[in-house]
Each structure stands twice: as structure tokens, then as C-alpha cells.
Amino acid sequence: MARLLHSSNVTLDGYITDRKGSFDWGVPSAELHQFFNDLFRPVGTHLYGRRLYETMAVWETMGDDDPVTRDFAEIWRAADKVVYSRSLEHPSTPRTRIESDFHPGAVRSLVDAAERDVLIGGAELAGQALAAGIVDDLHTFVSPVVVGGGARSLPDDVRIDLQLVDEHRFDNGVVHLHHRVVR
């Protein structure tokens, strides 16, 4: 059965971007990028808010000579994408559809019917899914940096009990924490 996965790169103080919207602190090392590739390879569908989709859409035309980067681009292109946006009328990439509203029950049904895992990203969209209790696993990549403010990774006023499944430290000091939601 497929699972709904949430993945985020965060600072030690829990932000996905700094106050200026930058995430330049999160550039992955080759080792970490390969880990991303292996984590996302089995994912069949990506769920995005508009901002994260527009950030990720560069992978549609990315033509890098680096084999790890090229592999990530191929993984991204092969996945279906659902973008939740009221302002975006047409997708800029193939295998993408636009939904104007996020409905937790519809997403849960999509995951339950899927043959491959589904990935949800973006603080606001993932926050809605976490608040609705439909996320199964969290993959958090904690970078060794404090930015003091910005976009928070997790929503306020939501309690979720988690079980640590795995952790891994990378050569650049990033720590991956894989938690499963306890139901």
C-alpha cells in the first residue's frame, strides 16, 4: 500500500526558508543528493503548492552533466504532479494537473488507490495535510544552520505523535530523520 510522505529541508531552528525567502543554506552535497534520489525514486506522484511547484519546475529542463543531478531530473520528470493553486491556470510541465482546492479526503483516496508512494511538499500544503492527519511518514533533513526566522517547516497548533524509524548523518552535517506517524 502506498504512503503519503512529507519531506522537508529545515534549519536547526525549524525553517524551510529565511526571512528573505532564501534556502541557499540547503544546497545538498553529492552524498545527500544521491540519498534524495534514492528516497524519491519510488514516488509516483508529487503534491505541491504553487510556489514549490514553480521552484521545482526547473527540473523539467535541467540538463546537467553531473550524473546525480541528471538522475534527480529524470526521477522528477517521471513522476505525476498535482499542484494546488487558485492563481495558476495551466501547468508549465507535462504530467501535471492543477487543482484549485486541497481536499484531505480526496488526497487520502488518491494515496490509498496509488501503487507507488505520494510525496507532499511545501510548508503550507503539507501543514494542511499534517493538520488533517493524512500524512504517514515525515522525512526531515536538518541542516546545521540557524536563520532566526522565515517560513516555518511545521504548522502551529498541531499535535502528531511520531515514531523514529531511521536517522542518518551526511558528510555536510545534515541529519536525516525518518519518522512514522503513530495512529
Side-chain angles (χ1 to χ4, degrees):
M1 186 158 112
R3 303 183 65 76
L4 182 58
L5 312 176
H6 172 267
S7 176
S8 62
N9 299 326
V10 303
T11 62
L12 184 60
D13 52 346
Y15 296 98
I16 59 169
T17 64
D18 65 19
R19 285 190 173 104
K20 295 178 183 177
S22 177
F23 50 89
D24 59 354
W25 47 264
V27 176
S29 66
E31 178 193 24
L32 179 55
H33 211 291
Q34 183 61 56
F35 189 90
F36 288 151
N37 293 0
D38 295 339
L39 179 64
F40 299 147
R41 194 178 318 283
V43 171
T45 304
H46 295 219
L47 310 179
Y48 294 124
R50 180 193 52 81
R51 284 180 298 229
L52 183 56
Y53 169 68
E54 288 174 343
T55 299
M56 296 299 292
V58 300
W59 292 103
E60 188 61 39
T61 57
M62 184 81 63
D64 201 298
D65 290 334
D66 174 63
V68 174
T69 305
R70 187 173 49 250
D71 185 33
F72 185 85
E74 291 169 4
I75 292 165
W76 192 86
R77 289 179 199 131
D80 293 325
K81 275 76 76 182
V82 180
V83 181
Y84 295 89
S85 173
R86 291 191 182 115
S87 61
L88 194 62
E89 294 183 21
H90 304 287
S92 62
T93 58
R95 302 184 64 125
T96 305
R97 77 173 195 265
I98 307 295
E99 295 285 338
S100 60
D101 293 303
F102 176 79
H103 298 286
V107 170
R108 188 72 248 175
S109 294
L110 177 131
V111 173
D112 290 344
E115 293 181 16
R116 299 173 66 197
D117 287 339
V118 177
L119 178 70
I120 190 164
E124 187 176 325
L125 184 65
Q128 292 176 50
L130 288 161
I134 62 171
V135 174
D136 300 306
D137 290 72
L138 287 83
H139 290 273
T140 309
F141 295 86
V142 182
S143 291
V145 62
V146 172
V147 297
R152 291 185 41 78
S153 171
L154 297 172
D156 290 330
D157 300 321
V158 174
R159 173 169 176 160
I160 304 168
D161 293 321
L162 304 170
Q163 174 187 10
L164 182 63
V165 176
D166 191 26
E167 82 278 340
H168 181 84
R169 181 174 179 208
F170 295 92
D171 57 358
N172 62 353
V174 169
V175 176
H176 169 245
L177 302 171
H178 176 193
H179 287 94
R180 183 148 296 143
V181 173
V182 176
R183 302 206 194 279

